[in-house]
Amino acid sequence: GRFVFGFGRDVTGEVALDVHFPNGDDFTRTLKIATRDYAIERVDGLPSKMVTPPANVLARIKRENKGIAEVRALDTPETWFAEPFVWPALGRVSGVYGSQRVLNGKPRRPHFGLDVAAKVGTPVTAPAGGIVALAETDLYYTGGTVMIDHGHGITSVFSHLSSVDTAVGTKVAPGDLIGAIGATGRATGPHLDWRVNWFAVRLDPQRLLGPMPGAP
């Protein structure tokens, strides 16, 4: 069968991969994790409430984060993740995985998505097969949001959508329409923020892709 795992932004050094088979043919492989360098991005001029949320929305944020965490915990026995991934939207790459963002001069968590900037309404499609596990039009941070379960803990999340054109439980194939680029939630302009997770581990979506079609 197929299995999948991933390493987060700051993992370095060596990791032991232990493989156990029903017939006892077990083995261990040592994986050497390369160190990567990440860019620093500064975003100034944001409204203060978008940098530090006001107290009256904290309960809403907690409730929305709980729903997202429940999707990330899914372990669906499917291997859609093994298909080749395709770009979910076409446009200018405006943000990359791992970059550190400084909002209004205050260092924040690293950026864990791949940002594609394009006009509002630009189609967003499924990058691989799966089941839509979340489809919301107005989350506090991410606005219009869709999450796809690709199997065995691999999930995609698509944020800041101007429209959500799918529903929970829908089975999607690569290239199926799921929404459109927007600037909803905490966004400074129209773009798609696409993130990929293995359970709670945040992975680099760009590692799954070839060159963007039509890009120089």
Side-chain angles (χ1 to χ4, degrees), residues 93-142:
V93 174
S94 58
V96 295
Y97 172 93
S99 58
Q100 182 77 40
R101 284 184 165 175
V102 180
L103 304 182
N104 290 358
K106 298 180 181 180
R108 297 290 167 170
R109 297 178 65 191
H111 181 51
F112 290 112
L114 174 63
D115 290 348
V116 178
K119 294 180 179 180
V120 171
T122 299
V124 176
T125 58
I131 297 289
V132 176
L134 183 144
E136 296 285 347
T137 59
D138 184 26
L139 299 187
Y140 180 80
Y141 280 118
T142 55

Side-chain angles (χ1 to χ4, degrees), residues 15-116:
V15 177
L17 171 64
D18 296 322
V19 181
H20 303 276
F21 290 95
N23 63 5
D25 290 338
D26 302 343
F27 68 88
T28 297
R29 178 178 296 172
T30 299
L31 306 178
K32 295 182 179 180
I33 312 301
T35 301
R36 294 177 62 184
D37 294 323
Y38 300 101
I40 302 295
E41 297 179 338
R42 300 183 184 276
V43 181
D44 296 317
L46 288 174
S48 59
K49 69 178 181 178
M50 301 306 284
V51 178
T52 303
N56 64 343
V57 300
L58 294 180
R60 173 188 174 186
I61 292 171
K62 184 177 180 180
R63 181 177 67 253
E64 293 173 353
N65 286 345
K66 181 176 182 292
I68 292 170
E70 289 172 352
V71 174
R72 288 179 177 159
L74 294 173
D75 190 4
T76 306
E78 299 286 351
T79 56
W80 295 303
F81 62 80
E83 303 171 5
F85 277 65
V86 298
W87 285 82
L90 303 181
R92 178 177 61 88
V93 174
S94 58
V96 295
Y97 172 93
S99 58
Q100 182 77 40
R101 284 184 165 175
V102 180
L103 304 182
N104 290 358
K106 298 180 181 180
R108 297 290 167 170
R109 297 178 65 191
H111 181 51
F112 290 112
L114 174 63
D115 290 348
V116 178

Side-chain angles (χ1 to χ4, degrees), residues 91 211-216:
M212 182 183 292

